[in-house]
């Protein structure tokens, strides 16, 4: 696989089996195969493209995704606030297009991440994304997490679901003490209903806003993404406990 | 090591060698050693504390730190926007109290992270933090990154320095094509001066704002951290390239 | 009345009848009476204070206020988004410490603003503030707005109340077509419940966030006010109407 | 003039001299002239439109404007942070399409606002806007404020100019002690350069961010205006003064 970047900063992730047709002419597959990462390749009309060996991040960014797919800022926050690292035992539901699964699977590697999905169409998109990126440490299960969780002693469970409160009781039985139940909800009403079920957890709910700057004129860009979701991090303290205030 | 959490949600990370004296009485070292993670221990006056086996995240949060130490939100963003994962070759400077080094070392594991520091006092604090957390995959070097970088073929270089623009030329020689030079600066003037030096890189500058909600009354907390730093992610495209617009 | 400003930028609004005792010595009442606005007066130990003729804004800022008193940013937004100007017929409830009433009364002048309050203690504080500022065009009524509104043909009704939804029906009978019912609520749950009652109105709900910059180092201040209230602007379209989508 | 609002919430400000052609049929001029504010008028195909008597706010919102025209949130902040009220002596430059001038003129009424513009094309647009809105208390002067200010004893000077620092010395001679010099700049570099010239002023620089909520699902809208301008409020303390820290 090759990552091509043009003069405008546009990215193209291509296999390189065939010639690549751009608005500015053709990039030859044969020539491309001789290029090293960091070099420049030209179309027959003389337009240059940077040739870069793609990273996992490039595969994640170029994955097929739905309109509501999770953003990198939220992926990073989920990983950092719940302490996910190599070997962390993580369960995710629902898979959706698999963006968060890919992101977290990369971090837990060589461990394995499990993800539950109930919709066959989403599962197919996610599997396609995993395959393209060469990710092998994800186990995708066709399973409804509202019905229960088979895995035990989990470090983290992440939810991107319409009714996350239905998972809380299952999480109590499947999380390690000190583990995190993380829920990602666009509406604050969902977050509130989830929050109301969190007996025995210590939680915080946050929103993460990234603002991009135009550094030529040194000002924020005029428009931005104002909202993706409220994210609740609920740490499981075990069944013996008194209530946290 | 044990993590104790009281009814107010306060956290105590203790070794457990000695009895632990709280405002509400003593927790016996001997009794504590018999407790499993997820259980509750009481002082002799009957105040309960959750006993949790600490995670790497707990060690990072409880590390000794200066007033300007990087926050978890920014650690997460740096990792996610630059695609750091297991085996990533990362160089960091300056070490400071070592918070970002610990965070990233955890993710690159079993790979190793290198960090440069010039101040002996900071290096001592950082080493103390690494040791307490049991982190072994950090190589701390007493070295001025403005003078040069020894490491080659790096995936990511992260900078938390007053004059990051002095590192750009060295970064060109040490980053893999497609690798990231990341700079963390409180002042937008530093970011602008850094930005001006980024020939051959494709960059974006962002700020990451996390807002916490009080879910009892369903409103954001009255006060928040408004600013930590502007973070610039500059991707190295190689020396052959035309300029990205 | 005199506004004194010291070298640190601290403001003192004083009557000038008596000598004024500062941490740096005494300012003589007699000497002060001879100073023009824009001059400097010194204590007997030589500390300088700017002498400024106070404006209405200074009186508003220096009014006695509770912990939840409305901020200037929200006063400005309420006035601008509901189009309050000279002669606007405005009703406010509850008065609280009277900050918003003072702010709006200044703008509607020479018109008069009416404000309802049910708590005698708040009314006394508000009256004290109005008197100190020399504001005469506010009529403060001891009256529960949940019970009804006497005034008719109002341009704007502003609410800072725990149960604003109880006022909506009264507002329909008291607002001019095209007039605004404005509600200020800390909790989004209050805003939602208010929103649910707004048949026949066209509304928008916003939050207004002001971020202050430290221009010496050119960065936002580290901490800020993250939240005061959600403000809903509901424009009354009259009783004949179909529903706005 | 009539304000018509359709079922989607779209606004139309029309004179009513002629029949009004909509996508859903024609609204008869004659019939419209018989309608009271708050009633509904139908096209011949039965689509209803609310008929509202327009307020000054409607005229301001419907004024002809350039892409960079000031928003209502910033108009409100400028008025509230600089204490503009009836009779305030305000000078504005440059006029641009006249939005801020109209907003402030409405508040200073029956006083008069002066605005300087150097571009004839902008002046024509602004005059057209003033006329349509029926505003008479604005004096538009074709004059370069960098060259000087004729008016004296001003309460507030507001600037929306590329080089606001060129006005500071003139402002010192034209503002009352305690008056405000307000500058509106998209780039923080302009704000910094302006700030550097503010000897004898006490200033604060802020940005005002308004976030709109979708109250059906109780979440902020996905996208928002991230930035319009940095606004500096500099209060003139007079020529005698020591420096404020």
């Amino acid at each position: 696989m090759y990552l091509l970047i043009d003069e405008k900063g546009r990215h193209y992730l291509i296999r390189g089996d065939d010639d690549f047709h751009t608005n500015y002419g053709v990039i030859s597959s044969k020539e491309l195969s001789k290029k090293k990462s960091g070099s420049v390749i030209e179309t027959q009309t003389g337009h240059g493209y940077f040739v870069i060996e793609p990273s996992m991040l490039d595969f994640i960014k170029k994955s097929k995704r739905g309109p509501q797919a999770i953003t990198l800022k939220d992926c990073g926050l989920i990983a950092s606030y719940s302490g996910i690292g190599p070997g962390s035992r993580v369960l995710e539901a629902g898979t959706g297009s698999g963006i968060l699964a890919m992101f977290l699977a990369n971090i837990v590697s060589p461990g394995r991440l499990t993800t539950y999905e109930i919709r066959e169409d989403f599962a197919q998109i996610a599997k396609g994304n995993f395959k393209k990126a060469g990710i092998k440490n994800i186990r995708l299960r066709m399973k409804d997490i509202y019905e229960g969780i088979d895995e035990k002693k989990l470090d983290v469970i992440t939810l991107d679901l319409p009714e996350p409160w239905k998972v809380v009781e299952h999480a109590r039985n499947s999380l390690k003490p000190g583990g995190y139940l993380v829920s990602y909800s666009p509406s604050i009403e969902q977050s509130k209903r989830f929050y109301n079920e969190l007996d025995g957890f210590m939680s915080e709910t946050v929103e993460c806003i990234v603002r991009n700057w135009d550094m030529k004129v040194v000002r924020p860009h005029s428009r931005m993404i104002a909202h993706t979701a409220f994210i609740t991090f609920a740490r499981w303290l075990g069944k013996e406990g008194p209530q946290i205030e």
Side-chain angles (χ1 to χ4, degrees), chain A:
Chain A
M1 300 289 286
Y2 302 88
L3 181 70
L4 300 181
I5 302 177
D6 72 13
E7 292 155 30
K8 303 276 188 191
R10 284 176 295 220
H11 288 56
Y12 306 90
L13 190 59
I14 63 170
R15 202 181 283 277
D17 301 342
D18 304 305
D19 290 353
F20 180 62
H21 293 263
T22 79
N23 289 336
Y24 307 105
V26 176
I27 287 174
S28 142
S29 163
K30 195 171 161 193
E31 230 185 290
L32 185 57
S33 70
K34 296 176 200 153
K35 290 286 181 182
K36 285 195 300 187
S37 180
S39 60
V40 170
I41 193 166
E42 290 187 354
T43 63
Q44 88 280 19
T45 63
H47 273 78
Y49 286 74
F50 293 96
V51 181
I52 299 285
E53 184 188 355
S55 67
M56 178 54 64
L57 183 61
D58 294 310
F59 286 106
I60 291 174
K61 284 181 173 176
K62 285 293 181 182
S63 287
K64 208 178 268 187
R65 58 180 67 210
Q68 301 289 340
I70 194 166
T71 55
L72 268 181
K73 70 178 176 69
D74 291 326
C75 288
L77 197 81
I78 288 171
S80 62
Y81 271 46
S82 61
I84 294 172
S88 293
R89 291 175 50 83
V90 179
L91 172 69
E92 195 224 10
T95 313
S97 45
I99 306 298
L100 181 60
M102 294 168 76
F103 182 85
L104 296 180
N106 186 37
I107 297 180
V108 306
S109 164
R112 194 170 63 161
L113 174 135
T114 303
T115 182
Y116 286 12
E117 179 55 71
I118 52 169
R119 282 182 53 172
E120 187 57 38
D121 54 343
F122 285 161
Q124 287 312 316
I125 292 170
K127 279 179 183 169
N129 285 332
F130 302 161
K131 194 177 170 193
K132 209 179 225 170
I135 292 181
K136 293 184 175 145
N137 64 331
I138 296 176
R139 186 169 62 136
L140 195 164
R141 300 183 61 188
M142 297 308 296
K143 194 167 151 45
D144 183 353
I145 197 167
Y146 298 156
E147 302 295 320
I149 299 173
D150 296 335
E151 291 72 15
K152 298 290 173 199
K153 296 193 178 172
L154 293 167
D155 292 299
V156 178
I157 300 171
T158 72
L159 308 176
D160 180 359
L161 299 169
E163 300 175 297
W165 49 87
K166 292 189 174 171
V167 182
V168 176
E169 184 53 30
H170 306 318
R172 286 193 187 95
N173 294 310
S174 288
L175 281 172
K176 273 185 207 165
Y180 286 88
L181 175 60
V182 181
S183 181
Y184 174 97
S185 291
S187 163
I188 195 70
E189 289 193 325
Q190 291 169 294
S191 300
K192 172 65 171 176
R193 195 155 164 195
F194 178 67
Y195 168 83
N196 284 341
E197 298 301 317
L198 290 175
D199 285 352
F201 289 83
M202 191 171 62
S203 75
E204 67 176 325
T205 297
V206 305
E207 43 180 338
C208 176
I209 299 165
V210 168
R211 193 153 77 140
N212 281 62
W213 280 66
D214 175 342
M215 293 305 287
K216 271 184 200 151
V217 287
V218 197
R219 52 163 285 175
H221 285 290
S222 292
R223 295 190 67 81
M224 68 184 281
I225 293 176
H227 181 68
T228 51
F230 299 98
I231 309 180
T232 300
F233 297 90
R235 192 171 200 185
W236 173 233
L237 297 177
K239 298 194 174 176
E240 287 187 26
Q243 213 47 40
I244 290 283
E245 280 169 25

